[in-house]
Amino acid sequence: MNAPAIATRGLTKRFPGGQVAVDGVDLAVPGGSVYGFLGPNGSGKTTTIRMLLGLITPTAGTSTLFGDPARAALTRVGALVEGPAFYPWLSGTANLLRLDAANPAADAATARRRTAEALDRVGLTAAAGKRYKAYSLGMRQRLAIAGTLLSRRDLLVLDEPTNGLDPQGTREVRALIKDVAADGTTVFVSSHLLAEVEQMCTHIGVMRTGRLVAQSSLGDLRSAATARVEVDTPDVTAAARVLTDLGLRDVTRAAGRAGAEIGTTAPEHVSDLLFRAGVSIRGFQVVRPSLEDVFVGLTGEGFDVDS
Ligand SMILES: Nc1ncnc2c1ncn2[C@@H]1O[C@H](COP(=O)(O)OP(=O)(O)O)[C@@H](O)[C@H]1O
Ligand SMILES: [Mg+2]
């Protein structure tokens, strides 16, 4: 699988009325990745996903799935955009059978087995005969994901699959996504919650007002979060000189505090040299910025803590 699962060039959507919802987005989603598509509400995630799936036409730009136009690749793709409509009075099994029957490529003779397998996959076997209306939100979302798993997929596109779920439901969906990914399916999942994406994704793209402002593997982002040594001292100048003489980068001086990137230098070596230089130390710490801090640096804004 050499072609990226998703690739877009200059993908743009301007809605009638003039608003640009998605503005020149270049996505690169490697095959086999779990790609977190992160951004605050209204930043253009759903609009982008609708274009990826060929549900709406871009104003400009191109997009491909596994190197092909969306239409040619759709049988390899399962998608969940704003949850499918399930019948409240039907059981999970009956709902999936209806969904399966709507797929002309699916063999009717094996429909029962497919739905049973999909329900098993999402942990709903015990609740398979229960009516949909008795399902919790987490169960409903899992049923929706089961619907996307009725046939074998190479790519799963999930638009905010944990929206509105309680912590238990969120954990269930997250575990399910990891599970699906472990089988080799590429997962493209949108979210407005950084912490959530951090827990299950290998790659992250960040949207802000229609633009993709950052795109990276989680590993690269983590290493961008360079650790710093911070020294609280009345002797800021002397402390900064020690850090500079050590060859540390990005030495900073503030009221009562000197700091620098610590790199591979051992913290005890730094404190030892400060002591020997006669710098009085009130506080000494090595801090690594959170992924959130890195993002704030990249995008100029934080993310909703919850909602
Ligand atoms: N059908 C539409 N017509 C006009 N504006 C729309 C339409 N769909 C979305 N928008 C606008 O486009 C922007 C991006 O929306 P959306 O893609 O839903 O963001 P997100 O999924 O990140 O919350 C928003 O400002 C939204 O109001
Ligand atoms: Mg959305």
Side-chain angles (χ1 to χ4, degrees):
M1 218 191 299
N2 281 330
I6 300 172
T8 72
R9 289 294 287 271
L11 199 63
T12 300
K13 183 69 181 181
R14 179 189 294 272
F15 285 110
Q19 195 201 2
V20 181
V22 175
D23 193 358
V25 163
D26 298 335
L27 284 173
V29 179
S33 64
V34 180
Y35 188 106
F37 193 44
L38 194 64
N41 292 323
S43 57
K45 302 183 298 295
T46 298
T47 305
T48 301
I49 287 173
R50 288 182 174 285
M51 287 191 282
L52 295 179
L53 297 171
L55 296 170
I56 56 173
T57 317
T59 310
T62 59
S63 94
T64 57
L65 305 176
F66 300 107
D68 293 321
R71 269 166 226 290
L74 275 187
T75 54
R76 301 171 68 181
V77 181
L80 178 64
V81 190
E82 280 161 16
F86 285 122
Y87 295 98
W89 63 88
L90 290 182
S91 69
T93 296
N95 266 300
L96 284 195
L97 283 169
R98 289 190 70 103
L99 204 60
D100 190 72
N103 176 3
D107 177 6
T110 52
R112 287 247 154 222
R113 199 189 67 213
R114 264 197 308 284
T115 55
E117 278 171 6
L119 287 164
D120 181 50
R121 196 93 188 272
V122 301
L124 283 179
T125 300
K130 247 192 187 180
R131 287 173 185 228
Y132 180 75
K133 66 179 182 187
Y135 278 17
S136 68
L137 266 178
M139 290 162 79
R140 290 176 182 202
Q141 204 62 322
R142 281 190 281 149
L143 186 67
I145 294 174
T148 69
L149 297 174
L150 283 170
S151 53
R152 155 93 209 160
R153 311 293 193 175
D154 295 319
L155 170 65
L156 209 52
V157 178
L158 306 171
D159 191 15
E160 306 239 17
T162 61
N163 229 4
L165 298 187
D166 61 14
Q168 173 62 20
T170 301
R171 272 195 297 277
E172 289 168 4
V173 168
R174 212 188 284 141
L176 182 56
I177 287 173
K178 282 187 179 164
D179 225 48
V180 168
D183 284 351
T185 300
T186 305
V187 183
F188 184 84
V189 53
S190 77
S191 175
H192 62 278
L193 302 175
L194 172 62
E196 174 169 300
V197 161
E198 191 178 353
Q199 286 180 58
M200 60 183 176
C201 295
T202 59
H203 291 71
I204 298 189
V206 186
M207 291 290 286
R208 185 188 182 197
T209 57
R211 291 172 180 275
L212 187 69
V213 293
Q215 178 168 247
S216 166
S217 75
L218 206 59
D220 285 353
L221 275 173
R222 286 241 161 80
S223 50
T226 30
R228 295 183 59 83
V229 56
E230 302 287 353
V231 187
D232 294 325
T233 172
D235 310 323
V236 174
T237 307
R241 191 178 311 119
V242 171
L243 301 177
T244 304
D245 290 348
L246 250 172
L248 301 190
R249 291 157 52 138
D250 192 23
V251 175
T252 55
R253 277 159 244 250
R257 172 173 282 203
E261 289 182 8
I262 188 152
T264 55
T265 308
E268 56 270 33
H269 184 52
V270 180
S271 60
D272 190 37
L273 288 180
L274 286 165
F275 177 76
R276 281 202 243 159
V279 174
S280 37
I281 299 171
R282 291 193 186 122
F284 181 91
Q285 59 212 315
V286 176
V287 285
R288 183 176 286 280
S290 67
L291 212 49
E292 171 125 32
D293 295 332
V294 177
F295 272 116
V296 171
L298 284 171
T299 68
E301 72 181 44
F303 287 89
D304 305 357
V305 174
D306 206 9
S307 72

